[in-house]
Amino acid sequence: MAAESDTRSSAIPDATADRAPDPLIVVVVDLLETEGYDAVQLREVARRARMSLSTIYKRYATREDLIAAALQWWMDANRYAPLAGDGTERGDESVPDGLLRIFRTIFEPWEQHPGMLKAYVRAQAGPNGNQLTRHGFDTVVPAVNAVLDSTDPGFAEDVGMILSGVILGSLSRFAAGEIAVTDILPSIERTLYWLFNGYEHVTGGSAGTHH
């Protein structure tokens, strides 16, 4: 799924888990987690960061750019870093177990910080939404594809589409207050169970371990 290009891609820094965050980003992350998206007002951010508004505007053209930068740093540090070069193909796990491992890596930090998930869903609907989504896809999709490599290509494509629908639907329901953040992973686990039970029934084998 290709994301549209963003003319302000430089507005979101290349944050990494092993680099200390910008103090300005720390302030925004704290506001997002404790008080919510609407609490991130630039005057309040400037006050807490002991920084002038003009300095903030020199670095981030809009409030949305600053929020997106904070979200991207937090996700890199808490969700995506464990997926980078983790040797996804593991000989001691089945394909569904491998997928569940990946999704646990992604969603367990959000279970502990639901305010950040609410902020992420909100930001996805904003001007930097495509960039945030693409950044996540660039990290998660290769890991998922590596786990699915031993399955039928058509089945792997179907799994990707179905899981995308389940995850997007779960995020929307969470944002609307219809489900708790802790309901998302069980939903993914049930989906994997039914998908791979069907796959094993049709193929007459099992979604076995990686080789």
Side-chain angles (χ1 to χ4, degrees):
M1 178 178 177
E4 296 175 7
S5 62
D6 192 320
T7 56
R8 280 185 178 158
S9 59
S10 60
I12 302 181
D14 181 19
T16 57
D18 59 355
R19 191 172 71 190
D22 180 342
L24 188 59
I25 295 298
V26 172
V27 169
V28 176
V29 167
D30 182 63
L31 281 168
L32 288 172
E33 183 163 8
T34 60
E35 300 183 36
Y37 194 99
D38 291 331
V40 182
Q41 301 299 326
L42 292 186
R43 288 189 183 278
E44 177 62 15
V45 171
R47 184 186 70 80
R48 293 192 182 200
R50 298 184 179 182
M51 188 179 295
S52 69
L53 275 173
S54 61
T55 299
I56 294 176
Y57 277 119
K58 284 177 184 177
R59 298 170 60 188
Y60 301 96
T62 68
R63 168 178 174 263
E64 287 71 26
D65 286 346
L66 177 56
I67 290 173
L71 285 168
Q72 182 166 305
W73 178 85
W74 188 89
M75 290 187 296
D76 282 344
N78 292 277
R79 298 175 61 232
Y80 298 147
L83 293 179
D86 73 340
T88 302
E89 295 190 21
R90 300 182 181 182
D92 60 346
E93 67 182 6
S94 67
V95 173
D97 284 346
L99 292 174
L100 191 57
R101 168 175 53 82
I102 290 171
F103 289 116
R104 280 179 177 151
T105 299
I106 294 169
F107 283 96
E108 284 178 351
W110 267 340
E111 289 184 349
Q112 299 167 23
H113 304 275
M116 297 305 292
L117 179 54
K118 288 181 180 178
Y120 176 74
V121 174
R122 176 89 172 264
Q124 275 194 313
N128 291 301
N130 285 332
Q131 188 171 342
L132 286 170
T133 300
R134 183 173 63 247
H135 182 70
F137 278 12
D138 287 346
T139 304
V140 176
V141 169
V144 170
N145 286 344
V147 172
L148 288 170
D149 187 58
S150 62
T151 65
D152 176 81
F155 175 72
E157 184 176 353
D158 289 344
V159 167
M161 291 179 63
I162 292 168
L163 286 175
S164 294
V166 169
I167 291 169
L168 290 174
S170 295
L171 292 180
S172 297
R173 294 187 66 197
F174 166 73
E178 296 175 7
I179 62 173
V181 66
T182 50
D183 292 329
I184 298 175
L185 264 176
S187 218
I188 294 171
E189 188 168 8
R190 288 192 301 271
T191 302
L192 290 172
Y193 173 81
W194 290 113
L195 282 172
F196 281 90
N197 268 1
Y199 178 74
E200 292 169 7
H201 177 74
V202 170
T203 60
S206 64
T209 57
H210 298 293
H211 300 291

